[in-house]
Amino acid sequence: MKQAVLAGRPLRGTLRVPGDKSIAHRALLLAAMAPGISSVSGVPDSLDVRATLDCLKRLGVGLSRRGSTVRVAGRGRRGFLQPRGVLDAGGSGTTARLLMGLLAGQPFPARLTGDSYLRRRPMDRVAGLLRRMGAGIGLRGDHLPATIDGAALHGARCASPVPSAQIKSAVIIAGLLAKGETSITEPALSRDHTERLLPLFGARLRRRGLTVTVTGQARLRPARLTVPGDASSAAFWVVAATLVPGSRLRLAAVGCNPTRSGFLRVLERMGARIEMSRPRGGPEPVCDLVIQPAALSAADIGRAEVPALIDEIPILALAASQARGLSRFRGVSELRHKESDRLTGTVRLLRCFGAKAWADGDDLVIAGPARLRGARFDPEGDHRLAMATAVAGLAAQGRTVVLGAEYAAASYPGFWKEFQRLSNIP
Ligand code: S3P
């Protein structure tokens, strides 16, 4: 699907972004592992979360959805049913990697695959650690499809080579099934949603610095929770309202977990006008945001900051293209393993609009400010690049065409509808 975009009229009013997909995947998986009825509200109807729901259904989990609330009849840690055929995670890396942790400890074999984009992404980083716990996982090289021979797992001490919440969460989920204690140490703190949700479902967990330890074979209990608005989806509107003159946009009930809101800290450092108000929430903090336009200056983003803004780099890079000076995102090579090679894709996107951007080893460098001109851009299957292109179109002179606009639905099903309501679509 092609979508045209024109330079933006001011973005004004209030908007609520869909629920956070990272939190939703985890809440649904943990609910499925807890015997009894859980209720998860604020579940986004995104393609990625649908993939998790489909896989759980195929594993015998009772699921019913009313609006954004999903009622989950959990089967207990090892009470899942052997699925017929191959489980399909679609384009969702989180579904595939977290499920691998769950399937590794089931009393049956299973096969897991994904779409052509997901089948290109590295999986051995997860499988390798799970094997240390006794898992039998076969991959095609480093990739899906995977054959997982469910096994009786034992606790292990694991170290992740990269700060990755998917690796960490897969090990923690397998740790819940294993005998004894399992710990995972990461080189820098990645998003901590799994750790925040576990106590709600009755699991015990300890954190010491960058190491998390879970006690295996604990009895989980069902829970009720509401998933906050997705900070990564909010980021597109935060940058749009910062760049389009005359905007004043309020975003209600956005998740502001510090391991996800690095983009807000960076934008504030660049001079953005973002008011955070009404802090609230349970294990996951929530707040409202009001954004008004501002003149930006360049930012230097350190390696340690990257995990807390990894998914926001394309849209932050667009903001940097409008900021005075040279911006540098340090140590962002993990971007090469996302839904696409997002480092190359971000450079390609910015250049296509006339901005100056390049990769310098593992760094992304952007020289601003650039006068953007409307462009025709193919995000090559990547939802975040598709939405960043739409916002670039608002900040550019002339007409922009987003090819493959439908990819936005991977994380943000109503994106184009909101876009139409708030800005210019011819
Ligand atoms: C996610 C973790 C991150 C992130 C992805 C979602 C998660 O990936 O980029 O969009 O839900 O755990 P990595 O774990 O590969 O860093």
Side-chain angles (χ1 to χ4, degrees):
M1 172 188 124
K2 274 188 219 159
Q3 182 65 65
V5 175
L6 295 177
R9 63 173 154 86
L11 292 100
R12 303 189 74 93
T14 296
L15 122 84
R16 199 175 267 270
V17 292
D20 187 295
K21 88 177 160 84
S22 284
I23 300 173
H25 288 300
R26 288 162 170 79
L28 294 167
L29 275 170
L30 293 174
M33 293 172 78
I37 305 295
S38 290
S39 168
V40 188
S41 299
V43 176
D45 191 21
S46 61
L47 297 182
D48 282 12
V49 172
R50 277 196 203 174
T52 291
L53 288 167
D54 285 349
C55 291
L56 290 176
K57 211 173 266 174
R58 307 258 323 271
L59 288 162
V61 180
L63 296 163
S64 57
R65 183 174 188 126
R66 189 179 275 185
S68 78
T69 300
V70 178
R71 185 176 175 276
V72 184
R75 298 200 65 98
R77 281 191 324 262
R78 278 168 60 88
F80 295 92
L81 303 182
Q82 180 170 354
R84 279 212 215 126
V86 188
L87 294 170
D88 189 351
S92 173
T94 310
T95 306
R97 295 188 177 122
L98 270 55
L99 262 187
M100 228 182 248
L102 178 95
L103 294 171
Q106 297 305 315
F108 51 77
R111 284 182 298 148
L112 178 64
T113 192
D115 68 14
S116 59
Y117 298 105
L118 187 57
R119 288 200 307 272
R120 288 201 284 267
R121 296 176 64 187
M123 292 292 152
D124 203 46
R125 39 175 62 192
V126 178
L129 293 182
L130 295 175
R131 285 189 199 111
R132 287 173 50 91
M133 302 173 69
I137 302 180
L139 294 172
R140 189 171 294 165
D142 187 10
H143 302 120
L144 294 177
T147 305
I148 303 158
D149 291 319
L153 303 178
H154 51 78
R157 279 196 199 158
C158 302
S160 174
V162 285
S164 156
Q166 292 177 357
I167 299 178
K168 173 173 62 178
S169 302
V171 170
I172 292 176
I173 289 171
L176 293 175
L177 305 168
K179 188 156 182 239
E181 291 203 325
T182 299
S183 66
I184 170 99
T185 304
E186 46 184 353
L189 183 63
S190 63
R191 63 191 68 188
D192 63 358
H193 306 304
T194 306
E195 297 94 301
R196 285 174 184 262
L197 288 183
L198 272 176
L200 204 63
F201 288 93
R204 274 199 290 166
L205 168 126
R206 298 196 304 277
R207 168 174 289 290
R208 211 172 187 195
L210 294 171
T211 302
V212 179
T213 305
V214 275
T215 308
Q217 300 184 341
R219 198 180 152 76
L220 301 179
R221 58 164 189 257
R224 295 180 80 83
L225 73 142
T226 299
V227 176
D230 197 319
S232 300
S233 301
F236 296 102
W237 303 116
V238 172
V239 171
T242 297
L243 298 184
V244 178
S247 299
R248 187 175 195 283
L249 191 63
R250 182 166 165 272
L251 299 173
V254 180
C256 51
N257 176 326
T259 62
R260 288 289 296 286
S261 49
F263 75 99
L264 290 175
R265 297 189 284 276
V266 166
L267 283 170
E268 276 174 346
R269 237 157 61 206
M270 293 171 80
R273 286 176 69 192
I274 304 169
E275 258 173 63
M276 290 170 79
S277 61
R278 298 185 61 225
R280 56 198 185 276
E284 287 288 348
V286 176
C287 67
D288 294 347
L289 300 174
V290 176
I291 306 100
Q292 295 180 75
L296 301 178
S297 51
D300 191 318
I301 289 111
R303 195 175 272 276
E305 290 182 273
V306 169
L309 49 77
I310 184 80
D311 289 343
E312 289 66 66
I313 290 175
I315 193 68
L316 278 176
L318 174 69
S321 79
Q322 300 307 292
R324 185 160 300 281
L326 200 68
S327 289
R328 184 176 283 269
F329 294 77
R330 296 180 188 271
V332 295
S333 55
E334 264 302 297
L335 282 183
R336 296 197 190 277
H337 305 298
K338 297 298 172 190
E339 285 81 333
S340 66
D341 171 354
R342 229 178 238 164
L343 181 51
T344 305
T346 301
V347 168
R348 198 167 56 80
L349 189 164
L350 292 180
R351 286 192 179 164
C352 188
F353 279 82
K356 291 197 184 103
W358 62 96
D360 177 15
D362 283 352
D363 296 355
L364 168 64
V365 187
I366 296 139
R371 184 184 282 271
L372 303 182
R373 24 163 229 275
R376 202 180 158 81
F377 185 77
D378 183 353
E380 292 179 355
D382 189 310
H383 56 126
R384 300 205 194 279
L385 291 182
M387 292 185 276
T389 312
V391 179
L394 290 182
Q397 301 281 316
R399 183 184 169 90
T400 288
V401 176
V402 187
L403 303 169
E406 70 275 13
Y407 291 116
S411 60
Y412 198 157
F415 177 77
W416 288 108
K417 218 165 149 198
E418 285 296 8
F419 200 86
Q420 196 150 25
R421 185 171 75 82
L422 288 166
S423 51
N424 272 356
I425 284 194

